[in-house]
């Protein structure tokens, strides 16, 4: 008699997407509005040549948002400035307000504001 072991390998994004889907479903079941999906660490930008690499895939958040009938509110890049300033307790929008990383957060906050009740659309 042979015994077989089935093994499924999950990538980082697979687990994150499963968690996001479970959370969205849970909130919808208890009537808590879900504003949308944010794709964190959406891409890595080389600090030397500025090339953008989607190391965790490019379409996961969009596909999940479509499945859940939600919008993608924004993409936050994987960037050293965000990590360093977060570790120091300094928001990137204050420490580097004119940076592309800060602009990603500002665009995200604008999208969140549009989704809030009573906000001008």
């Amino acid at each position: 008699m042979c015994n077989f072991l089935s093994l499924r390998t999950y990538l980082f994004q697979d687990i994150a997407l499963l968690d996001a889907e479970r959370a969205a479903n849970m909130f919808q079941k208890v009537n808590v509005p879900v504003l949308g999906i944010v794709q964190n660490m959406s891409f890595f930008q080389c600090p030397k040549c500025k090339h953008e690499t989607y190391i965790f895939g490019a379409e996961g958040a969009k596909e999940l948002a479509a499945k859940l009938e939600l919008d993608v509110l924004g993409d936050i890049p994987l960037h050293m400035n965000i990590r360093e300033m977060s570790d120091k307790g300094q928001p990137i929008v204050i420490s580097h307000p004119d940076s592309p990383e800060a602009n990603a957060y500002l665009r995200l906050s604008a999208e969140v504001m549009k989704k809030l009740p009573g906000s001008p659309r």
Side-chain angles (χ1 to χ4, degrees):
M1 176 194 253
C2 294
N3 291 323
F4 293 96
L5 174 65
S6 175
L7 180 64
R8 165 83 163 124
T9 303
Y10 288 97
L11 300 175
F12 175 78
Q13 183 175 1
D14 292 336
I15 299 298
L17 290 171
L18 287 171
D19 284 346
E21 182 175 5
R22 276 186 286 212
N25 287 330
M26 178 193 68
F27 285 122
Q28 288 174 342
K29 283 179 185 175
V30 295
N31 297 318
V32 173
V34 178
L35 301 179
I37 302 288
V38 176
Q39 184 165 280
N40 192 29
M41 297 189 291
S42 59
F43 63 88
F44 170 76
Q45 185 179 59
C46 176
K48 294 183 181 185
C49 73
K50 306 297 183 205
H51 176 75
E52 294 178 358
T53 302
Y54 294 84
I55 57 178
F56 299 117
E59 300 298 319
K62 290 178 187 172
E63 291 169 0
L64 178 60
K67 179 179 179 181
L68 298 175
E69 298 180 355
L70 296 169
D71 294 326
V72 175
L73 300 177
D75 296 302
I76 303 298
L78 175 62
H79 199 281
M80 187 65 79
N81 283 345
I82 295 172
R83 201 260 322 144
E84 288 175 347
M85 293 299 103
S86 295
D87 286 351
K88 292 179 181 180
Q90 300 174 6
I92 196 76
V93 295
I94 294 173
S95 60
H96 295 86
D98 297 323
S99 69
E101 304 82 61
N103 285 330
Y105 280 100
L106 294 173
R107 285 190 304 274
L108 171 59
S109 64
E111 291 302 313
V112 169
M113 290 298 296
K114 289 179 193 174
K115 297 285 187 176
L116 296 176
S119 293
R121 309 233 180 243

